[in-house]
Amino acid sequence: MVKAKVYIYANAFDGFPKAGDLEIVEEELKPIKDGEFLAEAEFLSVDPYMRGYAPAFKIGTPIIGGQIALIQESKNPNFPVGKYIFGQFGWRTHTVSNGLPNPKDAMSQYVLPDFKGLSPSLGLGVLGMPGNTAYFGLLEICHPKQGETVVISGAAGAVGSHVGQIAKLKGCKVIGIAGSDDKGKMLIDDLKFDGFVNYKDKDFRKVLRQTTPNGIDCYFDNVGGEISSTVISQMNLFGRISVCGAISAYNEKNPKASVIQGPLTMKQLKMEGFIVTRWYDRWMEGINQNLDWVKEGKIKYRETVTVGFENMFQAFTDMLKGVNYGKAIVRVKSIVK
Ligand code: NDP
């Protein structure tokens, strides 16, 4: 009998998540039936949406999330033993699944394509949902053109660091916004961004203006709030804004920001929100393009790895605090074979 460890939502988050808000419970899994498989998690993802969606969580239910798991037993020919899969199984070590799509979640599970020798963990980041968020969210909404200035908030994280590199590939001038000068150094030295602004700088508005002398044509918004109101107030005529997330507000009880309808109207800006599964019918296009760019050395990635399933909550809150560079993940085993 396989026992799974599962995180459940024990207490409603009240502001920043606290130890005790989540609990680990054990669940006995039944032997697999025809059509089912058993998968063991090797890498689990911690993402901002797990905090953003929390108001919809019910107490006592498992925490949602994606993982890369290895198929251990199978009576389903589409999910053979030994294959790595992405599964939207939640924060749990073992899962029995029937492999059928979940009508409530487009990207419920799929066998990873051939990553050509790269770590399967990248299926949680640059070759998975965040990578596709960068690819589709930038190109399909902002339509960046050569020579334009693209500003990205949350720029040193999984999505933002990838967006900036795609914008560079499109010939744009790329400015990242993040919360530490060390992250800015990484963006400029390693990822070849053209500029960086620390949103914690008391002169943020002024420094942003100085760093974007030609104004801002495209804004990829990961954070919302006052940072975004400031960026939007400095945009050029007919600028485009891709609204990906609002992490600055996820832990705030009463988030506030300056009104943006003035610049939206006067500069005739286009602002559009999206959920990446809008492009689920093109999912493998995004993954294959990102894989090609990674293999060609055109997109670099970074992972911040926390080891141990029991440390997932720590990894989650570290990510919310900005400890991560690139994708924040948890590796279940301490030794990699
Ligand atoms: P990141 O890897 O960027 O990690 C989160 C980062 O947010 C932290 O590292 C931290 O960096 C920053 N942050 C935390 N608090 C604040 C704050 N108050 N103000 C500004 N920045 C803050 O996460 P992802 O790349 O996975 O996600 C980025 C955004 O994209 C999120 O808003 C997420 O919800 C959204 N998203 C949306 C999707 C969609 O389909 N629309 C899909 C995937 C992600 P720092 O040190 O710079 O503060």
Side-chain angles (χ1 to χ4, degrees):
M1 182 76 71
V2 176
K3 280 188 180 169
K5 286 185 187 156
V6 185
Y7 278 86
I8 59 161
Y9 194 44
N11 286 303
F13 294 144
D14 182 19
F16 198 86
K18 294 182 292 301
D21 288 346
L22 308 187
E23 261 175 33
I24 299 180
V25 297
E26 280 198 340
E27 192 184 296
E28 288 195 352
L29 301 181
K30 295 196 178 109
I32 58 168
K33 299 192 295 251
D34 275 350
E36 291 183 337
F37 63 85
L38 168 71
E40 182 176 0
E42 288 205 1
F43 302 95
L44 296 116
S45 189
V46 284
D47 297 86
Y49 74 82
M50 296 158 183
R51 179 66 188 89
Y53 290 178
F57 295 172
K58 290 200 177 69
I59 298 298
T61 58
I63 303 298
I64 56 172
Q67 58 174 254
I68 300 298
L70 188 62
I71 300 183
Q72 305 283 2
E73 295 172 24
S74 179
K75 292 184 178 176
N76 182 325
N78 297 325
F79 292 90
V81 170
K83 287 280 185 194
Y84 278 105
I85 57 169
F86 170 86
Q88 193 67 20
F89 298 148
W91 292 22
R92 52 186 299 135
T93 55
H94 297 80
T95 304
V96 170
S97 169
N98 59 15
L100 295 172
N102 176 353
K104 289 187 187 155
D105 189 344
M107 47 176 293
S108 38
Q109 58 207 319
Y110 53 87
V111 174
L112 292 188
D114 180 6
F115 282 176
K116 302 183 179 164
L118 297 168
S119 168
S121 63
L122 301 186
L124 297 176
V126 69
L127 303 179
M129 184 276 283
N132 277 357
T133 302
Y135 176 76
F136 293 113
L138 176 71
L139 298 179
E140 297 294 329
I141 293 184
C142 284
H143 302 289
K145 295 183 198 66
Q146 181 150 13
E148 288 189 324
T149 298
V150 177
V151 169
I152 301 141
S153 54
V159 175
S161 60
H162 195 148
V163 169
Q165 294 181 83
I166 297 176
K168 284 300 297 176
L169 288 174
K170 297 292 166 191
C172 299
K173 183 175 173 193
V174 175
I175 310 299
I177 300 172
S180 78
D181 290 347
D182 193 56
K183 287 188 175 181
K185 192 168 157 27
M186 172 194 76
L187 294 177
I188 291 175
D189 293 352
D190 300 344
L191 306 187
K192 309 301 172 202
F193 281 36
D194 299 286
F196 166 72
V197 188
N198 186 335
Y199 69 83
K200 293 175 183 164
D201 189 325
K202 65 176 175 30
D203 290 324
F204 171 65
R205 175 179 294 273
K206 192 169 134 200
V207 179
L208 179 67
R209 198 175 285 287
Q210 286 164 348
T211 315
T212 56
N214 298 327
I216 299 164
D217 302 295
C218 300
Y219 175 44
F220 193 97
D221 185 6
N222 280 315
V223 306
E226 196 57 34
I227 298 167
S228 296
S229 295
T230 303
V231 176
I232 291 166
S233 73
Q234 297 186 19
M235 288 189 72
N236 293 334
L237 196 62
F238 298 120
R240 288 88 64 202
I241 304 155
S242 179
V243 183
C244 177
I247 194 168
S248 74
Y250 295 169
N251 292 306
E252 293 292 328
K253 291 183 188 162
N254 295 302
K256 287 192 183 71
S258 305
V259 171
I260 54 169
Q261 279 77 5
L264 276 176
T265 310
M266 299 312 293
K267 297 287 177 59
Q268 304 193 58
L269 307 177
K270 185 179 146 199
M271 184 172 186
E272 183 176 342
F274 71 92
I275 298 291
V276 65
T277 47
R278 186 199 295 192
W279 296 282
Y280 197 64
D281 58 339
R282 296 171 58 193
W283 204 249
M284 288 303 154
E285 170 197 322
I287 289 182
N288 286 326
Q289 176 61 83
N290 285 326
L291 177 60
D292 286 349
W293 279 332
V294 169
K295 290 301 271 185
E296 289 160 11
K298 291 178 175 163
I299 296 279
K300 292 188 181 170
Y301 60 85
R302 208 159 147 176
E303 294 176 311
T304 297
V305 183
T306 302
V307 177
F309 183 74
E310 65 286 359
N311 295 323
M312 271 201 84
F313 180 77
Q314 182 69 44
F316 177 55
T317 50
D318 278 356
M319 178 277 299
L320 292 173
K321 284 181 199 152
V323 172
N324 62 304
Y325 287 60
K327 182 73 189 96
I329 61 169
V330 172
R331 194 176 73 221
V332 176
K333 291 185 180 146
S334 54
I335 297 169
V336 187
K337 279 181 265 171

